[in-house]
Amino acid sequence: MKKKLLLTTALLLGSTSMVAANDDLMAMMDDPNQWAIQTGDYANQRYSDLDMINKDNVGDMQVAWTFSTGVLRGHEGSPLVIGDIMYVHTPFPNIVYALDLANDGKIIWKYEPKQDPDVIPVMCCDTVNRGVAYADGKIFLHQADTTVVALNADTGAVEWSVVNGDPSIGETNTATVLPVGDKVIVGISGGEFGVRGHVTAYNIADGSQEWRAYSMGPDSDILVDPETTTHLGTPVGENSGTNTWEGDQWKIGGGTTWGWYSYDPDENLVYYGTGNPSTWNPAQRPGDNRWSMTIMARDADTGIAKWFYQMTPHDEWDYDGINEMILTDQEIDGVERKLLTHFDRNGLGYTLDRVSGELLVAEKFDPVVNWTTGVDMDPNSDTYGRPAVVAQYSTEQNGEDVNSTGICPAALGSKDQQPAAYSPKTELFYVPTNHVCMDYEPFRVSYTAGQPYVGATLAMYPAPDSHGGMGNFIAWDNIKGEIAWSVPEQFSVWSGALATAGDVVFYGTLEGYLKAVDAATGEELYSFKTPSGIIGNVMTYTQDGQQYVAVLSGIGGWAGIGLAAGLTNPNDGLGAVGGYAALSDYTALGGQLTVFTVPN
Amino acid sequence: MRNIAVMLATAGMMVMGQGAFAQDDPNITVAYEEDGRYFTDDGIPTYFVDEDGTVDWLTFSGFRRYHSECHVCHGPDGEGSTYAPALKNSAVDMTYDDFLYTVAAGRENGNSVMPQFGDNLNVTCYIDDIYVYLKARGTDAVARGRPAKKQAKSEAIAEDEDACMG
């Protein structure tokens, strides 16, 4: 299926050099011996055809080699493997290493950008970076300070660089970039600083800007055609990016774009989600706040939106919609459909038709989710596609300066950016999740450019009346909208999963374990404790006919901030002391790549 | 006026104390109260916790402001994180002036950077609130989480807040 998608692609692309660049990259993504893109492939399936390591022998897996990155901060993302070279990135200062896999991981080149440390304090929640991308003989690094740099993949020499945002108003970057055809597509962070989110395409050859699409604002800024861009099948009409905002609030409206990007070459559509509207105090921004919290499908060449779906109109809980969009071709009721599956921070697992944007499934992927009773699935209803908000958990209805308690999930969501995997063999999605609830008290804040613009006080704690842990690793059926199995975890699972043809699924834990479980049952087959907590994503490749599995350790990110000292539940009442497990009892800062194999 | 307040506060403390080891720490012990704000002998802001656990308004307000402005780096309840130090200890160990200065001016230590909040009204107008809340956490006078009971906001504190926020 994947092959079919790839073959037709070349025909659709315009210029010849563009076809060559893309062909090259897509052939690499299709070759399981390499790991050519952070997301495994354009579809973001994070699935490998390799089966040398499989459910029968994974119990014998051992560490093959390790590499210290030299940086002690949260390590998100993963290495890439292109041919015999592995590319490893670090959090700020965003070093890139090229390692020679044919020569025991010897360092071929190292690139360390000079960045103003002033960018550090405007990065909410640690200085993570989700990795480099490859295309056209170049390695693309999107630095914390929003500089996008193209490095010669062989030498590390800078071929071009371009500045995508302005850190002095809180614009920063944590995400990887998406190379498509003759462009690289890049996002922006800073929703907690009142940044207005945007997605920008730069020319792959020289870094010149091709298009930029804002998440809110006039039609010319958000790149819509009021007649043909649709929301749930209906044209969005004129001024859709301003008419659900009061006054000029959209100018500091949030909707940042710091998550993952996927691409369907047949449709030539890029898919991603937008973040929370700012501030976190909903009373300061009446209206639906379009197009924050929205799944977007845009034409890769022009940026014009084909369709939108706003999941959480008028966010009241910081449920950013930026998590990955996983593209699959599956049968529903005997009909083959092109699907998009998305596990949102708001706790709902969505399945849509990725061509039309039709909503097919929206179900809770954690049973404790309580802020909504569910999404209206009746196309004839006035509230079609909207989640029904439970008044008790509505921080808008409870009002400013009122503490709304017991809201599930917490602001970090039932799942954050840590990407899920999909196995076409089981047709299941393997999802790292959080099992955390919160109290949320919004209050009035004033906006100062470059200063945090939050406006809410939060307290988080493990989901009450459950297993006491803060996470689950689940298998999800996206057509039935049901959990197939669920493995409880003591801490939130903050590591990207990997599924393989060996019927094994890999993921990391915050304590630092790399785990392998049976794809069919979730039964644990292997676990090894790496030197620091894992918030990176598991990847796989081969070298000299041997399969390897690799992951970055290095505790940090939101998890390192929120969970280091453990959580307490204020609603347990007075006398409940000690709280829940503290990460600091299990792990400490680190920065290491651990590579595993099953010895012959 | 002030003397009466001192005596009242001292009497109150005899009964309930402010957390075991805080009692005779001159940087913690309440010497006098003024319009709902509490001070040490040296006129340094401090917290006040009643017998039944009721906290003064500033401590409660500090809990809210801390969790809005600081906790994204320093972790919940002043406990520290993988990213930044536990401020519940800093507030006790640092002088008030050093604390204020660090928050206003920021600090850079290689790749470890504390932002400047000097021109951020959401912080500067509430810096005493955050400071006394953290001192209360650092001496275990206030448990983790949201203080359950609080004194009402005094008129003077409300006026100061309005004047500061503009």
Side-chain angles (χ1 to χ4, degrees):
Chain A
M1 216 168 298
K2 192 165 138 199
K3 289 247 166 57
K4 198 172 66 195
L5 215 89
L6 294 175
L7 285 175
T8 44
T9 309
L11 305 173
L12 293 166
L13 296 168
S15 87
T16 43
S17 74
M18 181 167 113
V19 171
N22 228 60
D23 257 2
D24 184 36
L25 177 58
M26 289 206 286
M28 286 178 177
M29 288 184 213
D30 209 31
D31 170 10
N33 298 302
Q34 317 191 50
W35 190 263
I37 188 165
Q38 292 291 330
T39 52
D41 56 18
Y42 272 149
N44 281 38
Q45 290 186 1
R46 307 190 56 75
Y47 176 79
S48 168
D49 281 325
L50 297 177
D51 62 0
M52 283 174 251
I53 298 175
N54 54 55
K55 77 174 198 222
D56 298 322
N57 67 9
V58 70
D60 300 327
M61 202 160 77
Q62 292 180 7
V63 174
W65 58 280
T66 61
F67 176 77
S68 169
T69 68
V71 179
L72 298 178
R73 281 288 184 222
H75 282 60
E76 290 186 347
S78 78
L80 299 184
V81 169
I82 309 287
D84 277 339
I85 304 185
M86 175 183 275
Y87 299 94
V88 180
H89 73 287
T90 76
F92 192 94
N94 306 132
I95 302 167
V96 183
Y97 298 96
L99 306 182
D100 186 354
L101 294 176
N103 195 0
D104 253 357
K106 183 163 181 280
I107 298 171
I108 301 171
W109 55 259
K110 174 186 174 187
Y111 174 76
E112 180 167 351
K114 282 221 181 337
Q115 296 184 75
D116 186 342
D118 278 354
V119 66
I120 298 176
V122 283
M123 301 187 72
C124 151
C125 330
D126 206 354
T127 50
V128 297
N129 185 287
R130 282 177 223 99
V132 295
Y134 171 88
D136 201 25
K138 302 180 189 79
I139 291 290
F140 298 95
L141 168 69
H142 193 177
Q143 300 172 186
D145 66 4
T146 78
T147 305
V148 184
V149 48
L151 304 172
N152 182 300
D154 295 326
T155 65
V158 175
E159 302 214 333
W160 55 259
S161 89
V162 61
V163 177
N164 185 53
D166 178 1
S168 76
I169 59 163
E171 289 184 326
T172 58
N173 176 64
T174 55
T176 186
V177 306
L178 178 76
V180 168
D182 63 349
K183 299 177 184 64
V184 271
I185 291 170
V186 312
I188 197 86
S189 301
E192 277 57 62
F193 289 82
V195 162
R196 177 163 65 121
H198 50 75
V199 165
T200 312
Y202 293 102
N203 189 289
I204 213 164
D206 60 10
S208 55
Q209 185 172 319
E210 304 265 349
W211 52 260
R212 169 168 286 184
Y214 285 89
S215 301
M216 58 266 316
D219 292 348
S220 54
D221 279 9
I222 64 173
L223 302 190
V224 291
D225 178 335
E227 308 295 319
T228 60
T229 303
T230 59
H231 181 251
L232 293 171
T234 310
V236 296
E238 283 176 10
N239 304 320
S240 67
T242 51
N243 64 13
T244 63
W245 291 89
E246 208 162 76
D248 280 350
Q249 185 74 21
W250 59 266
K251 291 184 177 167
I252 49 171
T256 52
T257 52
W258 54 277
W260 303 97
Y261 292 72
S262 45
Y263 175 61
D264 180 335
D266 290 331
E267 306 297 328
N268 196 33
L269 289 176
V270 172
Y271 301 93
Y272 65 97
T274 60
N276 60 291
S278 31
T279 97
W280 288 15
N281 175 7
Q284 273 176 266
R285 45 171 172 76
D288 277 357
N289 309 138
R290 290 178 169 181
W291 297 100
S292 65
M293 306 305 223
T294 299
I295 301 176
M296 302 203 156
R298 291 188 184 276
D299 184 279
D301 290 321
T302 62
I304 302 285
K306 179 160 187 210
W307 59 262
F308 291 150
Y309 170 53
Q310 189 181 42
M311 296 171 286
T312 316
H314 189 63
D315 171 55
E316 310 170 39
W317 313 269
D318 186 36
Y319 295 150
D320 284 53
I322 60 86
N323 293 350
E324 74 286 1
M325 312 293 161
I326 304 174
L327 314 184
T328 58
D329 295 354
Q330 290 170 271
E331 220 173 77
I332 297 188
D333 299 331
V335 183
E336 183 82 2
R337 301 208 56 170
K338 300 188 73 170
L339 302 179
L340 176 155
T341 299
H342 168 79
F343 301 93
D344 198 60
R345 286 247 288 252
N346 73 14
L348 298 169
Y350 295 90
T351 310
L352 291 93
D353 181 307
R354 73 171 176 270
V355 181
S356 64
E358 179 191 352
L359 181 63
L360 303 172
V361 177
E363 293 291 340
K364 298 174 182 179
F365 62 92
D366 182 348
V368 302
V369 171
N370 64 10
W371 67 274
T372 177
T373 50
V375 175
D376 185 342
M377 302 299 284
D378 175 7
N380 299 318
S381 161
D382 284 348
T383 54
Y384 175 41
R386 289 182 88 93
V389 174
V390 176
Q392 181 189 351
Y393 303 116
S394 167
T395 72
E396 163 81 36
Q397 293 174 45
N398 294 338
E400 278 179 349
D401 299 318
V402 175
N403 191 32
S404 300
T405 61
I407 305 167
C408 305
L412 43 76
S414 294
K415 176 185 169 299
D416 199 73
Q417 60 72 28
Q418 58 278 25
Y422 170 77
S423 166
K425 281 176 84 173
T426 58
E427 289 196 53
L428 290 176
F429 291 74
Y430 301 98
V431 195
T433 73
N434 306 314
H435 199 50
V436 179
C437 302
M438 69 174 170
D439 300 346
Y440 189 110
E441 178 182 358
F443 52 84
R444 194 148 287 271
V445 281
S446 65
Y447 173 76
T448 311
Q451 292 286 346
Y453 185 56
V454 181
T457 288
L458 272 66
M460 309 204 195
Y461 37 87
D465 307 319
S466 185
H467 53 73
M470 293 163 242
N472 290 301
F473 188 75
I474 69 164
W476 175 257
D477 181 324
N478 68 328
I479 290 167
K480 292 197 193 121
E482 281 173 14
I483 295 173
W485 50 256
S486 177
V487 178
E489 282 284 351
Q490 182 166 17
F491 293 101
S492 299
V493 188
W494 215 274
S495 148
L498 169 73
T500 74
D503 302 318
V504 209
V505 178
F506 298 90
Y507 67 98
T509 73
L510 290 178
E511 298 102 310
Y513 292 101
L514 182 278
K515 292 189 178 182
V517 299
D518 186 318
T521 64
E523 184 200 344
E524 185 173 307
L525 304 172
Y526 177 80
S527 125
F528 177 87
K529 194 164 181 193
T530 66
S532 181
I534 298 177
I535 60 171
N537 306 331
V538 191
M539 54 81 80
T540 188
Y541 66 96
T542 70
Q543 173 67 19
D544 281 341
Q546 181 98 3
Q547 184 183 353
Y548 294 90
V549 169
V551 72
L552 286 165
S553 303
I555 192 66
W558 208 99
I561 286 158
L563 304 181
L567 297 174
T568 50
N569 187 345
N571 307 316
D572 284 350
L574 293 171
V577 283
Y580 297 86
L583 254 185
S584 56
D585 292 340
Y586 293 83
T587 193
L589 295 179
Q592 181 178 308
L593 177 72
T594 310
V595 184
F596 300 83
T597 193
V598 173
N600 288 325
Chain B
M1 263 303 259
R2 183 169 285 189
N3 281 340
I4 297 171
V6 173
M7 285 170 60
L8 284 176
T10 318
M13 282 177 40
M14 294 299 185
V15 187
M16 51 51 117
Q18 278 188 302
F21 72 91
Q23 202 144 21
D24 37 50
D25 181 340
N27 185 35
I28 302 293
T29 309
V30 175
Y32 60 94
E33 180 260 7
E34 222 173 63
D35 300 328
R37 297 174 181 271
Y38 293 81
F39 298 93
T40 68
D41 226 0
D42 293 337
I44 303 295
T46 193
Y47 58 87
F48 180 75
V49 186
D50 217 336
E51 287 121 277
D52 67 352
T54 304
V55 302
D56 65 299
W57 171 261
L58 254 59
T59 298
F60 174 75
S61 164
F63 160 81
R64 292 205 304 177
R65 295 291 160 178
Y66 173 85
H67 285 89
S68 153
E69 306 297 338
C70 320
H71 112 286
V72 294
C73 293
H74 289 281
D77 309 313
E79 290 281 332
S81 74
T82 58
Y83 191 73
L87 291 184
K88 65 171 193 177
N89 300 329
S90 308
V92 174
D93 296 343
M94 294 170 83
T95 65
Y96 176 60
D97 287 350
D98 278 354
F99 185 91
L100 255 53
Y101 179 78
T102 309
V103 177
R107 188 202 283 171
E108 205 178 300
N109 179 8
N111 289 337
S112 176
V113 181
M114 161 67 196
Q116 305 170 16
F117 286 103
D119 53 4
N120 184 334
L121 295 182
N122 300 314
V123 174
T124 51
C125 294
Y126 301 95
I127 195 59
D128 282 352
D129 313 38
I130 294 171
Y131 174 72
V132 300
Y133 162 70
L134 289 169
K135 278 215 295 206
R137 287 286 307 118
T139 53
D140 276 334
V142 166
R144 292 188 62 172
R146 183 188 185 88
K149 288 184 245 167
K150 55 182 187 284
Q151 291 180 6
K153 192 197 282 192
S154 72
E155 263 174 45
I157 293 174
E159 276 166 23
D160 290 353
E161 179 179 346
D162 288 345
C164 183
M165 289 295 279

